[in-house]
Amino acid sequence: MRGTDWHAARSVAHAAGAAVRAILPPAERVGLADAAWRVLDTGLRALHPLPHYASSAMDGWVVAGGGPWILVPARGSGAGLAPGEAAEIVTGGALPPGTTAVLRREHGRLVPAPAGGDKPPVGALLFAEHDPRPGLDIRPAATESAEGDLLLAAGTRMTPAALAVAALAGHDRLAVAPDVGVALVLTGDEVVTSGLPGPGFVRDGFGPVLPHCVRGLGGTVLSATRIGDDRGATLDAIDGAAARRAAVVVTTGGTGGSSADHLRPAAAALGAEILVDGVAMRPGHPALLARMPDGRILLCLPGNPLAALVAVATLLEPVLRGAAGRPPSSPRRAASAAAFAPLPGRHRVVPAAWADGAECALVPAEHTGSAMMRGLADADALLVVPPEGLEAGAPATYLPLPW
């Protein structure tokens, strides 16, 4: 079974995820704290200029005109400086009218000022080796954005930096896309969840890992069900009450054609539309992507750990981006530090690390068999090798790891 081309499979997965939006609840407005890692449903605009007042970029003094300057007390809002006057200011402080520049504290020197004639002492004079040029160390109002400017587009994931932008722009609540609920179904009679497995058994490599992958890719795990290799249990798990609460059902194992593999027959029995029946890649070829009659997405991952996580990066990432209303991820490019022979008809997705820590060339990891995880644990990215192979130093596509 050759399977769908790797690039085409990702496009199909994103389109399938976008179609899921039809069965999701409507967008909601939430407070800033609850918007963390959610996805904006509508673009976010500045409610006032950023910054909304002219301020000092440094601790020191605001000065008017040329020096030396008479130091005057800090004044209330709206009180200005006359030419030849200066006042103390801290970083971020509002500039009084008449300010021409900010003199940094390390560049100024205060000396006592004598009384002159019948005038009382003025307190101190401020000297500078060189008069600051007009506008020096001033943050003018609206230099980052004007009121009404679009700051974050719809589909933006609200990272801590994005939350800070929203707060500084004056927002208290944000319109966010609904969470994309994911139900996990972990299969296998041979899987044990603790201790040392005996011959013929394996430790569970999915239960502790997949929730973090889903969360890192923008989904929310609603349930996790563990079943044995049984046709009836498989049908119940992917179409039962817990799975029906989710927009995406992700299963592990059972994607082959043996008597112990029940996911393809179960999908057929439920009337699922097969969208991707295997991906032309190594590892992860047996992955299956289908649409259930009620619109839910069924993603069946292979049972080998590395193969499954390659399928997560290949298919689950675009599904969840599409479901959240985000555009497809842009391809990333780096050089391959190693040569790869052709593998006609298949892409290879290889755990790789940055050469010498510099993000310019990727070195393939060792221990990258489909059932091995050491290579992925040491990796920084997944290098995508095209069917025609690669020469050392040639540019290649890579995927960031989904955690």
Side-chain angles (χ1 to χ4, degrees):
M1 179 169 53
R2 180 173 178 138
T4 304
D5 172 77
W6 185 82
H7 292 285
R10 286 178 58 80
S11 296
V12 170
H14 185 268
V20 162
R21 290 173 62 81
I23 66 171
L24 293 175
E28 58 180 333
R29 292 187 64 81
V30 300
L32 284 182
D34 293 326
W37 304 111
R38 300 285 295 273
V39 174
L40 280 182
D41 187 68
T42 57
L44 183 141
R45 296 184 178 274
L47 299 181
H48 61 183
L50 291 178
H52 64 280
Y53 61 90
S55 65
S56 174
M58 292 288 170
D59 292 343
W61 299 270
V62 285
V63 299
W69 302 270
I70 298 171
L71 186 66
V72 299
R75 296 170 180 172
S77 177
L81 292 178
E85 291 184 335
E88 283 193 290
I89 197 166
V90 296
T91 301
L95 301 183
T99 297
T100 56
V102 172
L103 178 65
R104 300 185 187 191
R105 186 167 301 280
E106 61 268 27
H107 295 165
R109 178 171 55 92
L110 289 173
V111 298
D118 57 354
K119 297 180 180 179
V122 295
L125 290 175
L126 174 64
F127 288 84
E129 184 176 347
H130 301 289
D131 285 356
R133 58 177 173 77
L136 183 65
D137 288 326
I138 287 176
R139 297 171 178 161
T143 51
E144 187 172 357
S145 76
E147 182 178 344
D149 280 357
L150 180 66
L151 303 177
L152 300 172
T156 298
R157 197 167 184 208
M158 295 306 293
T159 62
L163 285 175
V165 169
L168 293 172
H171 292 270
D172 298 315
R173 301 180 70 79
L174 302 177
V176 293
D179 277 328
V180 182
V182 176
L184 300 179
V185 178
L186 313 174
T187 76
D189 289 333
E190 77 284 6
V191 178
V192 298
T193 58
S194 62
L196 297 177
F201 292 87
V202 296
R203 271 295 297 265
D204 173 27
F206 296 125
V209 173
L210 284 180
H212 297 289
C213 293
V214 170
R215 191 173 301 114
L217 292 173
T220 300
V221 175
L222 301 182
S223 64
T225 303
R226 189 176 299 280
I227 61 172
D229 295 321
D230 178 82
R231 181 74 54 87
T234 301
L235 285 166
D236 289 343
I238 64 178
D239 200 40
R244 283 183 172 272
R245 289 196 298 269
V248 180
V249 179
V250 177
T251 69
T252 63
T255 58
S258 75
S259 60
D261 296 322
H262 301 294
L263 279 163
R264 279 182 167 80
L270 293 170
E273 175 191 3
I274 304 301
L275 304 175
V276 174
D277 193 356
V279 182
M281 67 179 180
R282 180 190 291 175
H285 169 262
L288 175 76
L289 183 68
R291 181 183 292 115
M292 304 290 278
D294 57 7
R296 290 176 298 136
I297 292 297
L298 174 65
L299 173 58
C300 304
L301 305 175
N304 282 317
L306 179 59
L309 292 180
V310 165
V312 164
T314 297
L315 295 175
L316 184 59
E317 186 260 4
V319 164
L320 292 180
R321 284 187 72 95
R326 302 173 72 193
S329 54
S330 299
R332 302 191 184 189
R333 303 285 283 176
S336 172
F340 291 86
L343 182 64
R346 288 194 183 186
H347 283 75
R348 277 165 288 184
V349 185
V350 182
W354 295 114
D356 301 321
E359 296 189 11
C360 56
L362 285 165
V363 179
E366 298 180 357
H367 309 293
T368 57
S370 61
M372 298 179 181
M373 290 302 294
R374 284 179 61 187
L376 191 59
D378 291 335
D380 297 312
L382 293 170
L383 180 66
V384 181
V385 181
E388 62 269 23
L390 284 172
E391 296 182 0
T397 298
Y398 75 90
L399 297 176
L401 296 176
W403 49 78

